Amino acid sequence: MLRDIDRVLIDEPSLQVRVAELADRIAADLALDVGAAGDPDAEGRVVFIPIMTGAIMFTADLLRRLPLKLSIEMVAVSSYPGASTRSRGAQIASELPADLAGKHVVILDDILDSGRTMQLVAGLVRDRDPASVRTAVMLDKPARRAVDFTADYVGFEVPDAFVVGYGLDHDGYYRNLPCVATLKPEITGDGA
Ligand code: IMP
Ligand code: MG
């Protein structure tokens, strides 16, 4: 796995520092919202929706830093068939939680690329009448945006390159890299 890396863009300590910063901001913002409506620890009011599978690392690191009573409801969206490095549009591959009415929802993803995935999920969540909807992504690749979408919380901006690690895959692999990196062109097929 390591020999396939071309360049490390964000190392592990930097990711961890940034996740901690995002967790503090998200916790503070949610505490205001939830607290304003009464008991800040009221059960079932805060729901995190990680978009599988890319959001696994971000979700695990972020949520362990949130001292809030919350539940986790995963959704699956597919956009990159197989070894493709180009998005083909987003499709929901699992049911969204039905009961989001009155809840404070935070949608999590690994990266905001074209924006289609987040736009799709955020739209479906809003249809369910939640009290609030926030979106957080570890990475943002604004150069590739195809729809008008901005995330509320962004870890790092990345250049217009296909990246892997910290949840992001190429053909199902490299999600377990603890850093964010680019792959050698012979691996992605870009240089062929
Ligand atoms: P979007 O719908 O184009 O914004 O794409 C978002 C999804 O595509 C993310 O959830 C990722 O799983 C995947 N994705 C986007 N860019 C990359 C990348 O550079 N490497 C790996 N996966 C990516
Ligand atoms: Mg994804």
Side-chain angles (χ1 to χ4, degrees):
M1 171 172 82
L2 296 180
R3 67 178 175 209
D4 297 344
I5 291 178
D6 188 29
R7 203 158 64 87
V8 173
L9 300 186
I10 310 167
D11 63 16
E12 187 176 0
S14 308
L15 288 169
Q16 294 304 323
V17 167
R18 188 64 182 142
V19 170
E21 288 170 1
L22 293 183
D24 288 349
R25 281 181 46 209
I26 292 172
D29 293 350
L30 278 173
L32 283 179
D33 265 14
V34 180
D39 178 4
D41 234 8
E43 203 161 336
R45 297 203 39 106
V46 176
V47 182
F48 276 78
I49 302 188
I51 301 176
M52 290 292 111
T53 305
I56 50 172
M57 303 296 173
F58 181 38
T59 303
D61 286 344
L62 183 82
L63 297 194
R64 274 180 295 181
R65 295 178 175 277
L66 293 183
L68 289 170
K69 199 160 185 175
L70 59 87
S71 62
I72 305 171
E73 301 270 4
M74 297 181 281
V75 297
V77 174
S78 67
S79 52
Y80 280 75
S84 169
T85 57
R86 288 270 182 275
S87 175
R88 306 273 162 81
Q91 270 186 318
I92 284 275
S94 69
E95 285 298 303
L96 220 68
D99 183 22
L100 295 175
K103 308 279 172 74
H104 295 282
V105 178
V106 185
I107 307 167
L108 303 177
D109 206 359
D110 49 0
I111 188 167
L112 193 60
D113 188 40
S114 74
R116 289 194 184 96
T117 302
M118 266 298 190
Q119 190 182 58
L120 173 73
V121 176
L124 292 170
V125 167
R126 284 202 181 91
D127 287 346
R128 284 165 166 75
D129 210 19
S132 68
V133 183
R134 292 183 168 85
T135 54
V137 292
M138 196 57 204
L139 305 177
D140 186 4
K141 207 193 282 181
R144 298 203 54 86
R145 200 77 86 252
V147 296
D148 184 17
F149 195 95
T150 313
D152 298 305
Y153 309 94
V154 173
F156 294 92
E157 245 184 50
V158 289
D160 185 8
F162 192 78
V163 295
V164 295
Y166 202 66
L168 294 120
D169 75 303
H170 178 252
D171 202 14
Y173 296 110
Y174 310 105
R175 293 193 199 275
N176 55 317
L177 266 181
C179 58
V180 171
T182 54
L183 291 172
K184 290 180 178 154
E186 60 265 34
I187 304 296
T188 54
D190 289 346

